[in-house]
């Protein structure tokens, strides 16, 4: 039911997996961008130990893959999904420090019997969850959680904040949503679920106080370098790529760097 109600999120394929002990299950709806082959379909399994469902894209997966190959890892696909699993196997939770991308993913470790899930630094990809006793449910949209039988009950404080202040999030508690017993994994956080013990940790934070003493010319050169790398990585795709133009300096700049890569 959860997979069916999210069919609009992935028209290119679907998959469901339940582990032998029937203690964990994963479902995925695929929107294929990198490695369109069936070998890259999800849930994706690795080393007869890890299984992943993943939404997003790791822009530096080619560079990261080369580093992992130097460490002795071998890859069967061209997907960024497999790179995430190899990175997790090698670096464990610190793998998140190496990922340049937008993502929400969950990895089940069949050997240790625990779930590891993470969300990108700025929360571009959604991750909602519900926990009650020894039951844990997660999805990219709340409607999937409701379809699993979780009762839809308004969180009155969030509703009041929205009506009076226009807030769609609680600035003091990013995990809170408009519904009781449904939470959002905050940006730049990961969670580990072992049996019925749930731990949530922050893995990255921006240093707002840091300043760099450089000249205007150096700043222009650095911005040019960073934008060129950023756009180049985001053009990695096995399907056509487009751009939405607002006419502002930002989108026009992106088009300029895209054109340089052609």
């Amino acid at each position: 039911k959860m997979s069916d109600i999210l069919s609009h999120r992935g028209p290119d394929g679907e998959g469901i997996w339940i582990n032998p002990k029937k203690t964990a299950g994963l479902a995925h709806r695929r929107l294929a961008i990198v490695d369109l082959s069936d070998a890259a379909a999800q849930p994706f399994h690795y080393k007869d130990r890890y299984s992943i469902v993943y939404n997003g894209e790791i822009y530096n997966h080619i560079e990261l893959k080369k580093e992992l190959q130097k460490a002795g890892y071998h890859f069967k696909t061209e997907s960024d999904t497999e790179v995430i699993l190899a990175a997790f196997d090698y670096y464990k939770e610190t793998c998140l420090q190496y990922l340049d991308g937008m993502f929400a993913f969950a990895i089940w470790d069949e050997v240790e019997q625990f779930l590891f899930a993470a969300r990108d630094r700025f929360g571009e990809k959604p991750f909602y969850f519900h926990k009650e006793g020894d039951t844990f449910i997660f999805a990219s949209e709340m409607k999937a959680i409701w379809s699993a039988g979780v009762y839809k009950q308004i969180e009155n404080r969030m509703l009041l904040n929205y009506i009076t202040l226009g807030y769609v999030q609680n600035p003091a508690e990013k995990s809170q949503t408009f519904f009781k017993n449904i939470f959002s994994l905050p940006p730049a956080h990961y969670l580990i679920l072992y049996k019925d013990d749930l731990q949530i940790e922050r893995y990255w934070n921006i240093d707002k106080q840091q300043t760099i003493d450089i000249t205007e010319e150096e700043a222009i050169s650095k911005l040019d370098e960073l934008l060129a790398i950023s756009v180049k990585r985001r053009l990695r795709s096995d399907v056509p790529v487009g751009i939405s133009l607002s006419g502002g300096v930002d989108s026009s700049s992106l088009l300029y760097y895209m054109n340089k890569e052609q």
Side-chain angles (χ1 to χ4, degrees):
K1 288 181 179 179
M2 293 177 70
S3 176
D4 289 345
I5 205 164
L6 295 183
S7 60
H8 61 283
R9 296 188 68 90
D12 300 327
E14 62 178 302
I16 296 175
W17 170 82
I18 298 174
N19 72 333
K21 295 182 180 180
K22 297 185 177 180
T23 54
L26 300 173
H28 185 260
R29 288 284 179 168
R30 187 181 187 191
L31 178 64
I33 303 295
V34 176
D35 191 341
L36 311 184
S37 71
D38 291 340
Q42 299 181 46
F44 191 98
H45 309 290
Y46 187 75
K47 282 192 167 185
D48 295 324
R49 175 173 182 174
Y50 306 108
S51 299
I52 187 174
V53 284
Y54 153 56
N55 175 25
E57 187 172 349
I58 305 303
Y59 302 122
N60 67 330
H61 72 276
I62 293 177
E63 292 80 6
L64 184 54
K65 183 177 184 178
K66 290 178 180 178
E67 292 300 314
L68 290 165
Q69 286 172 328
K70 291 178 183 177
Y73 284 83
H74 301 278
F75 296 86
K76 298 179 180 179
T77 72
E78 298 301 320
S79 70
D80 51 347
T81 309
E82 189 176 14
V83 174
I84 294 175
L85 285 171
F88 179 69
D89 182 65
Y90 188 59
Y91 297 112
K92 301 309 177 186
E93 63 268 18
T94 58
C95 71
L96 298 167
Q97 305 298 334
Y98 297 86
L99 303 183
D100 172 14
M102 54 175 182
F103 57 82
F105 64 76
I107 298 172
W108 175 255
D109 185 333
E110 183 65 16
V111 173
E112 299 293 336
Q113 291 282 298
F114 76 89
L115 184 77
F116 176 82
R119 194 174 175 204
D120 62 70
R121 294 180 178 186
F122 293 100
E124 292 183 69
K125 292 300 181 180
F127 189 104
Y128 297 103
F129 67 90
H130 165 83
K131 185 179 185 303
E132 185 174 358
D134 60 357
T135 299
F136 182 83
I137 302 170
F138 70 91
S140 53
E141 291 187 32
M142 289 188 199
K143 62 177 68 173
I145 296 177
W146 295 329
S147 73
V150 176
Y151 184 64
K152 186 189 300 185
Q153 187 176 4
I154 292 291
E155 170 53 66
N156 290 325
R157 288 173 297 178
M158 284 290 290
L159 181 60
L160 179 63
N161 284 344
Y162 175 69
I163 293 173
T164 57
L165 302 173
Y167 288 176
V168 295
Q169 284 188 331
N170 180 350
E173 184 54 66
K174 289 290 185 68
S175 64
Q176 195 171 35
T177 72
F178 280 95
F179 298 91
K180 292 181 179 180
N181 300 318
I182 296 180
F183 302 94
S184 174
L185 181 63
H189 281 69
Y190 69 83
L191 67 80
I192 294 177
L193 178 71
Y194 181 72
K195 295 184 178 179
D196 62 350
D197 179 39
L198 177 64
Q199 297 180 10
I200 298 177
E201 302 287 344
R202 175 184 284 273
Y203 68 84
W204 179 83
N205 203 358
I206 191 169
D207 185 355
K208 300 176 183 177
Q209 305 304 319
Q210 182 182 10
T211 59
I212 303 175
D213 186 18
I214 58 176
T215 65
E216 181 178 347
E217 290 75 15
E218 289 172 326
I220 292 171
S221 176
K222 189 63 176 178
L223 178 62
D224 177 66
E225 176 191 349
L226 291 174
L227 277 174
I229 293 173
S230 182
V231 172
K232 180 179 181 179
R233 289 179 174 179
R234 282 156 178 77
L235 288 176
R236 292 169 174 170
S237 172
D238 293 324
V239 294
V241 176
I243 184 170
S244 297
L245 289 170
S246 65
V249 67
D250 50 354
S251 61
S252 299
S253 298
L254 295 180
L255 181 60
Y256 165 78
Y257 285 100
M258 288 177 68
N259 190 56
K260 286 181 67 174
E261 287 298 322
Q262 300 305 311

